[in-house]
Amino acid sequence: MVTTDALDRTGDAPLRGRRSPLASIGLHATLAVASVIAVFPVLWVFLTSLKPAKYATTTDFFRETTFANYTDLLENTEFLSWFGNSLLVAGLTTLLGVFIASTTGYAVSRFRFPGKRGLMWTLLITQMFPVAVLIVPIYNIMSSMGLLNQPAGLVITYLTIAVPFCAWMMKGFFDTIPREIDESGQVDGLTPFGTFWRLILPLAKPGIAVTAFYSFITAWGEVAYASAFMVGDENLTLAGGLQKFVNQYGAQWGPMTAASVLIAIPAALVFLVAQRHLVTGMSAGAVKG
């Protein structure tokens, strides 16, 4: 029973859910500080990219603003080649990652087959190994297959990172879709793949969005494999190309920060396209394992 003290002045609603003015101010101040901390590094990189080289390490926010770093980056380096290589690798990784993770997740969710438990354990265990442990054996495998310094080698490598996690997530997402939909597809004469493609996949857009985003980011921002497997300026991806601006005597902060800003744009665009599905897809994929 709600007492008189627990009601507001009109007697209509309890006061228990209301914050005091001091608590509200503290909450908003905390959120404002957290936002500044999150945005400041990105803003600082952007502002540094607009400074001449001699002022790159100064603490001034604005100092002789110029776009010379961007023009120098685009005209005097292989940045566009690096960008194209990264776009090719990330695009293929995303397309193949979505297809493989979706079909694998659906098969594990819906069918019983020999080796199913072993497959699930394999997907889980492969996520436990750090890059430092895997880079040498994967390098040897790629070398024996003639895939070093080839975009296909990086795509295969990135799929080994993205697919296990995404397949587990997609399996959990498919578990939330009623099996009656599969049965209705079978009644209509669809094959298992036809049911998956025409009925189930359209309902899995949130999970696909998360899979696509994770696969793209995995390939777009990875450094260790890209640096080890690719040589030659024309073959480097963006991650490897950025290392060209760092040497034993210092760093070329102007071109590096300009490149960082340009690199962030595709990732931001992919996030904006997928963001409305991300929370739904990740939470749905975590319902069942």
Side-chain angles (χ1 to χ4, degrees):
M1 181 176 181
V2 179
T3 63
T4 304
D5 294 338
L7 299 176
D8 63 6
R9 294 179 181 179
T10 62
D12 294 331
L15 294 174
R16 181 176 299 175
R18 294 190 177 183
R19 299 190 190 96
S20 67
L22 184 60
S24 181
I25 292 173
L27 175 62
H28 285 81
T30 301
L31 293 175
V33 172
S35 299
V36 170
I37 292 174
V39 172
F40 181 77
V42 179
L43 179 62
W44 186 259
V45 169
F46 174 69
L47 295 177
T48 302
S49 71
L50 299 177
K51 298 178 185 177
K54 59 183 178 180
Y55 299 125
T57 57
T58 63
T59 57
D60 298 328
F61 281 96
F62 300 96
R63 192 71 178 266
E64 298 183 13
T65 301
T66 177
F67 289 96
N69 291 322
Y70 290 91
T71 57
D72 180 63
L73 175 71
L74 297 176
E75 295 176 359
N76 301 322
T77 69
E78 297 290 334
F79 178 82
L80 293 179
S81 296
W82 305 338
F83 190 93
N85 293 337
S86 287
L87 200 59
L88 174 64
V89 171
L92 289 175
T93 301
T94 301
L95 292 176
L96 293 174
V98 169
F99 180 76
I100 297 173
S102 298
T103 52
T104 302
Y106 180 73
V108 173
S109 173
R110 290 297 198 262
F111 305 117
R112 295 182 180 274
F113 52 88
K116 175 180 176 179
R117 184 174 296 275
L119 174 62
M120 295 178 67
W121 275 107
T122 300
L123 294 175
L124 181 63
I125 292 173
T126 52
Q127 300 178 58
M128 301 180 181
F129 295 97
V131 172
V133 174
L134 296 176
I135 192 168
V136 173
I138 293 180
Y139 181 93
N140 292 333
I141 293 173
M142 294 300 167
S143 178
S144 65
M145 298 175 63
L147 292 176
L148 289 181
N149 217 32
Q150 299 291 333
L154 276 184
V155 172
I156 294 173
T157 302
Y158 294 149
L159 288 175
T160 64
I161 300 173
V163 168
F165 169 78
C166 293
W168 261 102
M169 184 197 65
M170 290 300 295
K171 187 261 183 192
F173 189 88
F174 287 130
D175 284 345
T176 66
I177 298 178
R179 292 177 179 268
E180 287 77 6
I181 296 178
D182 300 68
E183 296 171 358
S184 66
Q186 295 173 7
V187 171
D188 291 337
L190 293 176
T191 63
F193 184 80
T195 301
F196 164 75
W197 185 260
R198 298 182 61 180
L199 300 181
I200 303 300
L201 207 58
L203 300 176
K205 288 182 179 179
I208 293 173
V210 177
T211 298
F213 180 73
Y214 183 80
S215 299
F216 182 86
I217 294 301
T218 296
W220 189 255
E222 199 280 328
V223 177
Y225 292 117
S227 301
F229 295 176
M230 309 295 281
V231 296
D233 284 355
E234 70 280 1
N235 296 321
L236 293 177
T237 60
L238 289 169
L242 282 180
Q243 298 184 26
K244 294 291 183 179
F245 301 123
V246 182
N247 54 50
Q248 60 180 332
Y249 302 108
Q252 302 176 50
W253 292 109
M256 182 184 294
T257 52
S260 299
V261 172
L262 296 178
I263 290 172
I265 293 175
L269 292 177
V270 172
F271 174 78
L272 289 175
V273 171
Q275 66 172 339
R276 66 192 183 97
H277 295 299
L278 290 180
V279 174
T280 302
M282 294 187 72
S283 60
V287 172
K288 293 184 180 181

